[in-house]
Amino acid sequence: MDLSARTLRRLIVRIRPMVMLLFAAWFLDAPAYAKDAPLIEEITVDRAGIAARLYLPSADDTNGAVVLMLGGSDGGYPSPRAALDLARSGHPVLALAYFSGFSAKIDGVPERLETIPLEYSYGALEWIRRRFGANRTIAVMGESRGAELALLIGSRRADVDAIVAFSPSSLVWPAVGDRTGKIAAWTEAGLPVPFVDIPVSDPLHQFRDGLNDEVRARTSAIPVEQSKAAILLVSSRSDRIWPASQMADQISARLVSAGFGPSVRNLQYDDASHLLMGPGPGVVSFTQGTFSVHFGGSEAGTLKAREAAWKETKIFLAGL
């Protein structure tokens, strides 16, 4: 391999989180999805050991499920567009920042998706319980690495009533940007959560290589069957970031094999992007100079999938 190819690989590893951030910024700058809907109260939560934004429905007496929302490898706060739309449907949303990424530094959270304590997310669940009451229904929603985290939380916490995982993972992966495959993304009780410790010789093949390694895949699988939550999986068969539909099928098969009691839905779409969480248009590709990344699908296919999946998500949450 020549030097320019090696350099391009290194660039991909370094810039992928930054690229994701650019798409997060796109969502942040996008107009509200339902312009004529009632205003939502937005509250910054920077105490009690968490950094988050709380979106409250205009009528705070709603009994809709409270959603703990988690972004992906871009870091920072999850985009408000999905949070606002859920709040307008009667669901309070706690949009949690669990690392800063390439956004402005957020006090109290790491700068990178690396050795993130699961206890931090547990603290967010406990904050929700204190704010909304011990009997309130809680759903954890995440996209991509945030979906991985949502499934990890749900497999460990009996107080999670539902999980919505957009572009999910069946396995635990290493820290973002770690070429060695030796740095954990998540910890619990100070120890690394077992993960696919495979070196990143080619980031575009990292996830396929990990899934095909039977030993690593077995030891790093998320124990979803331990969850008490109803589960909704949403993925694209055209995903070009990681094989989300294949991993969603693995999650479903694992649950069926274990005789999982709660309900499970596995929604899959064609011709759609990796970025599926939320209503309205989604990002399909990005190009800057000689660097480009494609998230899969077409703009039309992505919009169709996002609209359909978001409608199903609201039905799922309303039925809890």
Side-chain angles (χ1 to χ4, degrees):
M1 180 182 298
D2 61 24
L3 178 61
S4 61
R6 288 200 302 271
T7 301
L8 179 58
R9 283 186 180 179
R10 295 191 185 102
L11 177 62
I12 292 172
V13 171
R14 292 192 185 109
I15 202 169
R16 178 175 289 170
M18 186 179 296
V19 171
M20 297 297 288
L21 172 68
L22 293 172
F23 297 124
W26 182 88
F27 284 120
L28 287 170
D29 292 337
Y33 183 64
K35 292 182 179 179
D36 297 329
L39 293 176
I40 301 300
E41 185 178 6
E42 179 181 342
I43 302 170
T44 299
V45 180
D46 56 5
R47 299 180 183 275
I50 61 172
R53 289 172 177 160
L54 177 65
Y55 298 83
L56 288 174
S58 53
D60 196 23
D61 58 352
T62 176
N63 291 318
V66 182
V67 177
L68 174 61
M69 182 175 286
L70 306 164
S73 60
D74 49 301
Y77 297 103
S79 166
R81 182 159 61 156
L84 284 166
D85 196 62
L86 284 180
R88 288 177 177 129
S89 297
H91 299 285
V93 178
L94 185 68
L96 184 71
Y98 55 94
F99 75 107
S100 293
F102 286 85
S103 62
K105 180 174 172 53
I106 300 173
D107 291 339
V109 300
E111 294 185 8
R112 295 180 295 277
L113 203 171
E114 178 179 308
T115 61
I116 306 292
L118 292 183
E119 289 86 353
Y120 174 75
S121 300
Y122 302 163
L125 290 175
E126 290 155 9
W127 187 93
I128 289 173
R129 289 293 183 202
R130 291 193 299 270
R131 172 64 177 77
F132 294 96
N135 296 322
R136 193 66 172 266
T137 299
I138 296 180
V140 182
M141 177 184 296
E143 180 175 59
S144 193
R145 294 306 296 262
E148 176 186 324
L149 177 56
L151 289 162
L152 277 171
I153 295 168
S155 70
R156 286 160 162 76
R157 294 281 299 210
D159 57 349
V160 173
D161 301 295
I163 302 167
V164 184
F166 290 89
S167 303
S169 175
S170 56
L171 308 182
V172 181
W173 300 99
V176 170
D178 171 30
R179 291 180 58 83
T180 68
K182 299 300 181 184
I183 302 176
W186 322 104
T187 67
E188 188 171 29
L191 300 175
V193 174
F195 62 96
V196 181
D197 60 343
I198 191 168
V200 186
S201 58
D202 185 338
L204 299 180
H205 294 100
Q206 175 189 15
F207 304 114
R208 294 285 182 189
D209 292 346
L211 287 168
N212 291 333
D213 188 315
E214 293 185 6
V215 174
R216 285 185 168 98
R218 183 171 60 253
T219 58
S220 63
I222 300 173
V224 288
E225 71 280 1
Q226 296 178 8
S227 176
K228 308 297 183 184
I231 297 176
L232 175 62
L233 307 169
V234 180
S235 62
S236 166
R237 299 185 187 95
S238 302
D239 192 323
R240 291 177 61 177
I241 297 301
W242 66 14
S245 290
Q246 178 185 347
M247 292 194 285
D249 287 341
Q250 290 180 345
I251 293 168
S252 294
R254 185 180 181 101
L255 293 171
V256 169
S257 178
F260 188 68
S263 65
V264 181
R265 295 198 65 192
N266 184 5
L267 303 179
Q268 299 188 2
Y269 300 92
D270 295 311
D271 192 30
S273 171
H274 175 76
L275 303 173
L276 290 173
M277 187 171 75
V283 175
V284 172
S285 62
F286 172 79
T287 299
Q288 185 176 47
T290 60
F291 174 79
S292 66
V293 61
H294 199 292
F295 289 87
S298 68
E299 291 183 2
T302 296
L303 175 59
K304 182 178 179 180
R306 284 170 62 92
E307 292 287 280
W310 199 241
K311 179 180 178 180
E312 292 298 326
T313 297
K314 289 183 176 181
I315 293 173
F316 175 76
L317 293 174
L320 295 175

